[in-house]
Amino acid sequence: HFNGCNPFAQTGRSKLQNKRASLNQQIIKQMRMRAGAENLLKATSNNKVKEMVLLELSYVNSNLQLLMGQLEGLNSSVEVYQNAHETANIPLIALGLKETKDMDFSTPFKDFILEHYSEDGSNFEDEISDLMDLRQACRTPSRNEAGVELLAKYFSHLPLIESRFFSPTRQTGIFFTWYDSFTGVPVCQQNLSLEKASILFNMGALYSQIGTRCDRQTIVGLEEAISAFQKAAGTLNHLKETFTHTPSYDMSPAMLSMLIRMMLAQAQECLFEKTALPGIRNQFYSLLKMAQEAAKVSEIYDQVHQSMIQTPIKDNVPLLWSTMAQIKTNHYRSMAHFFVASALLDHQLGPSDDEDQQEKTLSQVYDRIPDGRSPLDILKKKDERDRIGKAHIRKAILGHEEALRIYSLCHNNQMDVLEEILKASHQRSLHKYSENENEDEFTDYMEAPDIISKTEHKAEMEVPATTKVKVTDFFQRLGPLAVFSAKQRWTAPRTIRLRPEDRDLGFTLKGETPVQVVSLDPLCPAAADGLKEGDYIVAVGDTDCKWMGVSEVMRLLKDVNEEGIDIQVVSMMESNPPMPTKSATFCGNLPKTYSMICLAHDDDDNNPKARKVTKKPSFLSWGLKNKLKSVSTLSLPTADHSGALPWNKPCPTFPSSSSYNNDSALY
């Protein structure tokens, strides 16, 4: 009843994950061979043996290099994750899911239940298999909100499982193994920190896959993509802040910082596409606004690229990723220059225009204006306006050429769409330049000023609500977690015979669940039978009462006849365990803001809802109290395979790689 995707379904994405799993196995095998060879090298003094071992080592190392290269190839598989009908947008990058080994909790958990909780572990087989089914389903989550909820559900169970079975003073013998998603190297831990961190990583990765899958030709699809990438960033940031020492390279703070930046850059790119989707008005203010928006996308991708080329990250970031960041930095910067050029070359300051407003807008686009000119000079003098406009268009052409040059070095045939968009943008800039070229002019080498980036909608991290799912403890039959947890110690259950004298049991009850014995008369028969002050009552007769409050337990006791009744009690033992062994992964408990589940831990001292039971004449009295105008529009370059545009299409998408609409009012 916990459904992941069918792991045998031959979708592109599952084939990719299956390849990843098999590569991880091969990498482990080669690493074992390498470790064996290195040990032999240290141990032997025989030169002939040394030569053979060195030969074997070089063979193993070259195999490892090949396998790592194949893993990088998987991380570069961009096309698998794009929307099925994606023919008109620049591809986005999705993270692959981390792989793990199968786990069998049954023997260690059953042993622990018997040894620690004094219960028969075989009575909990269903609960243990439910937990294992849930973990197994988490290896193949569906690429939608239901898949995220599945991971969140397991993630929310982990603190409960940790409290029940993972004692700070003893090891369970359970090893959790997860493979690094960039190097394929396995990481193994005996506590749950690696498990929690890896599930969070996969939640972030799944959000990135949801983002790349959205249809970015619609506003709704773009909004879904923006939200998914912001949630991916928020989830990875939560991982970075909560698990600061995870011994896995892909979850190191430097790598996570880069991944968060990359997700926010993709969200910003989708925000830009959302602004541009209805068409960009061919109007002075609108063009300058879009120029600054494009400059913002370029600036963020430049920061992503800078963080990708720092050590130690640069050694394992897929080349395709850093290439894409570089291409987009150039592409969007060129687009910004194209928009400013259009605003200057295609519009003149008319008598009805607001001169002050245009001057102010232009001055906010530049950080410096060349050769001491003022914004008003540029706006008013046609030759100045043309000269700076052409400088911008030259800069746009150079940037588009650089983007195409970087693309050509990438040797990735899965990105034809990207190539078409880059070429279409380049052609558009060349066309704009030739339109404004005057053969009589001297060649002008004036450098266009930089454009200040600015956005009205900045991509922000979003912490998804789904990380905090309310779940029911699989093992609640073991009793309230505040008492019956792995860190508490208590005696095995003892049977006490209760025989009321004169309708008095000789003690009173207090507390939430389970109830505690207080005000015990040391001379009563129950005390003589071994009942102690502070004991917890876990059963009355055959009825388990770990989850019962005072009034419910009293109801069970009020009908006791002269023969009496057996109750089962446990006594808490003073537990002064040594300091817990230092965990390489986990930093403190989760911050309160991220509390995975609300458990009511009411201390008896803080919450003395104790109901004293005093001598009453009758046992029976016990427990009874209780939009756009018709202005011409400009759209982003797309790779449109739809053939010629219909004549009646009101707002053609331009430029398209297959059709060219030469209406001077459209870009």
Side-chain angles (χ1 to χ4, degrees):
H1 51 274
F2 301 113
N3 296 325
C5 289
N6 174 3
F8 305 109
Q10 289 301 300
T11 62
R13 194 173 63 112
S14 66
K15 282 181 190 165
L16 217 62
Q17 283 298 146
N18 292 338
K19 270 192 210 161
R20 186 186 287 275
S22 118
L23 275 177
N24 288 334
Q25 293 305 323
Q26 292 173 59
I27 287 171
I28 285 187
K29 189 176 171 189
Q30 296 295 327
M31 288 180 76
R32 284 193 186 128
M33 287 169 72
R34 183 167 73 178
E38 283 170 345
N39 289 339
L40 187 55
L41 206 55
K42 286 177 199 158
T44 185
S45 52
N46 182 324
N47 283 343
K48 197 157 190 179
V49 172
K50 271 189 177 169
E51 274 175 36
M52 284 171 64
V53 172
L54 285 168
L55 188 65
E56 175 70 16
L57 258 178
S58 70
Y59 175 68
V60 167
N61 280 331
S62 68
N63 269 354
L64 267 170
Q65 289 242 264
L66 280 171
L67 290 168
M68 296 286 192
Q70 287 176 294
L71 190 62
E72 179 180 337
L74 288 190
N75 284 327
S76 301
S77 298
V78 171
E79 87 289 2
V80 170
Y81 295 109
Q82 306 304 309
N83 180 279
H85 311 293
E86 193 68 274
T87 54
N89 290 94
I90 298 184
L92 298 170
I93 292 168
L95 304 180
L97 299 178
K98 281 171 75 69
E99 284 287 332
T100 180
K101 273 187 175 175
D102 280 345
M103 294 291 312
D104 189 350
F105 296 126
S106 51
T107 309
F109 277 17
K110 282 195 231 172
D111 290 351
F112 193 82
I113 288 170
L114 179 64
E115 188 186 319
H116 187 76
Y117 293 100
S118 307
E119 299 213 22
D120 183 352
S122 59
N123 292 338
F124 289 86
E125 275 174 2
D126 287 350
E127 287 88 341
I128 294 170
S129 59
D130 280 351
L131 175 67
M132 283 160 60
D133 288 350
L134 178 58
R135 186 181 193 273
Q136 191 61 22
C138 284
R139 297 179 68 178
T140 54
S142 55
R143 205 164 27 140
N144 52 27
E145 205 57 47
V148 177
E149 277 174 23
L150 182 74
L151 292 174
K153 186 171 187 180
Y154 181 58
F155 184 75
S156 299
H157 271 293
L158 290 174
L160 301 175
I161 299 301
E162 188 168 43
S163 299
R164 292 282 188 202
F165 296 104
F166 290 79
S167 155
T169 55
R170 50 166 281 184
Q171 299 292 1
T172 53
I174 297 174
F175 287 89
F176 295 95
T177 303
W178 286 85
Y179 298 91
D180 188 297
S181 57
F182 294 102
T183 63
V185 174
V187 179
C188 205
Q189 269 198 354
Q190 282 209 66
N191 60 37
L192 274 168
S193 309
L194 178 68
E195 184 89 346
K196 291 177 189 171
S198 301
I199 291 290
L200 266 185
F201 182 93
N202 277 0
M203 282 171 81
L206 195 56
Y207 272 123
S208 78
Q209 293 182 14
I210 291 169
T212 53
R213 190 187 194 180
C214 295
D215 178 4
R216 284 151 57 212
Q217 287 299 299
T218 67
I219 291 287
V220 171
L222 280 165
E223 283 171 349
E224 284 169 4
I226 292 159
S227 174
F229 287 123
Q230 292 189 147
K231 283 175 178 170
T235 306
L236 294 172
N237 188 58
H238 174 31
L239 166 60
K240 179 178 152 227
E241 289 181 349
T242 313
F243 299 88
T244 49
H245 302 294
T246 312
S248 184
Y249 169 81
D250 53 1
M251 296 190 280
S252 61
M255 181 54 95
L256 287 173
S257 296
M258 184 278 287
L259 293 176
I260 291 163
R261 273 204 176 126
M262 184 167 81
M263 292 304 138
L264 287 174
Q266 297 192 145
Q268 193 68 51
E269 187 176 3
C270 292
L271 280 160
F272 175 78
E273 289 176 343
K274 184 184 164 190
T275 311
L277 186 66
I280 298 155
R281 296 173 69 188
N282 182 7
Q283 184 252 359
F284 184 79
Y285 299 111
S286 180
L287 289 166
L288 290 184
K289 172 180 172 262
M290 289 311 291
Q292 292 194 285
E293 291 281 355
K296 175 54 88 177
V297 179
S298 169
E299 176 185 76
I300 294 176
Y301 270 114
D302 191 31
Q303 291 164 358
V304 171
H305 181 246
Q306 291 310 317
S307 65
M308 283 178 175
I309 56 177
Q310 304 298 320
T311 24
I313 292 173
K314 68 173 182 187
D315 301 332
N316 288 297
V317 165
L319 177 65
L320 178 98
W321 291 14
S322 51
T323 306
M324 285 273 275
Q326 234 179 328
I327 288 171
K328 289 184 181 188
T329 303
N330 282 287
H331 174 71
Y332 284 105
R333 186 188 296 134
S334 302
M335 206 180 262
H337 284 290
F338 177 84
F339 287 141
V340 174
S342 302
L344 293 175
L345 295 171
D346 299 354
H347 298 274
Q348 301 302 328
L349 193 60
S352 62
D353 290 330
D354 183 338
E355 200 176 278
D356 293 347
Q357 187 57 43
Q358 286 206 10
E359 181 187 15
K360 186 182 170 194
T361 306
L362 189 62
S363 66
Q364 288 172 345
V365 167
Y366 292 141
D367 57 348
R368 58 168 187 84
I369 294 178
D371 306 339
R373 294 171 176 79
S374 73
L376 205 54
D377 284 343
I378 299 169
L379 289 171
K380 281 186 159 175
K381 297 176 182 167
K382 182 170 180 355
D383 56 335
E384 285 293 330
R385 194 168 180 135
D386 288 356
R387 197 173 163 221
I388 291 187
K390 277 192 266 191
H392 279 295
I393 208 72
R394 280 197 303 277
K395 204 159 185 179
I397 291 167
L398 287 171
H400 286 309
E401 282 167 0
E402 177 65 2
L404 281 162
R405 185 191 69 79
I406 297 163
Y407 174 84
S408 69
L409 301 175
C410 190
H411 307 303
N412 196 312
N413 56 4
Q414 50 173 296
M415 300 220 296
D416 300 343
V417 173
L418 176 59
E419 186 181 22
E420 288 182 35
I421 291 172
L422 296 178
K423 283 181 173 170
S425 303
H426 182 227
Q427 284 302 319
R428 178 173 73 168
S429 293
L430 285 172
H431 179 70
K432 171 70 67 186
Y433 191 70
S434 65
E435 270 180 2
N436 289 275
E437 199 171 22
N438 185 340
E439 287 175 14
D440 305 335
E441 272 181 350
F442 291 110
T443 309
D444 189 347
Y445 293 106
M446 176 186 171
E447 175 83 10
D450 291 336
I451 295 161
I452 294 174
S453 70
K454 183 182 164 195
T455 179
E456 288 180 8
H457 306 282
K458 187 170 182 285
E460 304 279 6
M461 288 186 285
E462 234 182 276
V463 177
T466 35
T467 50
K468 317 181 194 83
V469 176
K470 191 83 187 267
V471 291
T472 307
D473 181 2
F474 282 129
F475 297 93
Q476 62 175 352
R477 284 195 291 133
L478 291 171
L481 198 50
V483 175
F484 298 101
S485 67
K487 67 180 179 192
Q488 306 275 21
R489 292 169 64 234
W490 54 88
T491 59
R494 308 190 305 285
T495 303
I496 307 288
R497 189 75 174 171
L498 287 190
R499 292 186 184 81
E501 289 181 348
D502 190 22
R503 297 205 173 254
D504 178 19
L505 292 172
F507 58 84
T508 61
L509 300 177
K510 77 154 194 174
E512 295 294 306
T513 56
V515 296
Q516 257 183 309
V517 170
V518 288
S519 310
L520 177 67
D521 176 355
L523 303 174
C524 74
D529 205 10
L531 188 66
K532 296 190 180 74
E533 180 83 12
D535 277 356
Y536 288 99
I537 299 180
V538 293
V540 174
D542 296 329
T543 308
D544 185 303
C545 59
K546 293 192 208 65
W547 282 99
M548 289 186 182
V550 171
S551 57
E552 293 162 293
V553 175
M554 292 317 307
R555 208 167 292 131
L556 293 174
L557 293 175
K558 73 181 168 71
D559 297 327
V560 178
N561 56 23
E562 299 308 313
E563 287 171 27
I565 191 168
D566 283 343
I567 64 168
Q568 297 236 303
V569 298
V570 296
S571 308
M572 272 304 185
M573 290 158 70
E574 277 302 315
S575 49
N576 288 325
M579 283 300 283
T581 47
K582 236 181 174 183
S583 146
T585 314
F586 196 46
C587 79
N589 282 328
L590 294 182
K592 283 203 172 61
T593 43
Y594 298 122
S595 69
M596 293 303 126
I597 187 144
C598 309
L599 286 172
H601 288 235
D602 287 326
D603 282 344
D604 290 327
D605 304 338
N606 305 345
N607 187 6
K609 293 187 186 167
R611 188 176 298 168
K612 297 269 178 159
V613 181
T614 47
K615 291 192 181 184
K616 287 272 162 64
S618 156
F619 237 159
L620 295 174
S621 59
W622 283 9
L624 295 178
K625 301 174 183 174
N626 280 320
K627 290 171 173 195
L628 294 178
K629 297 165 191 159
S630 55
V631 184
S632 50
T633 62
L634 168 76
S635 297
L636 294 189
T638 64
D640 184 355
H641 302 288
S642 59
L645 287 164
W647 293 110
N648 59 355
K649 200 166 178 189
C651 161
T653 304
F654 174 83
S656 124
S657 54
S658 57
S659 59
Y660 198 98
N661 185 303
N662 200 4
D663 177 345
S664 61
L666 287 166
Y667 295 107

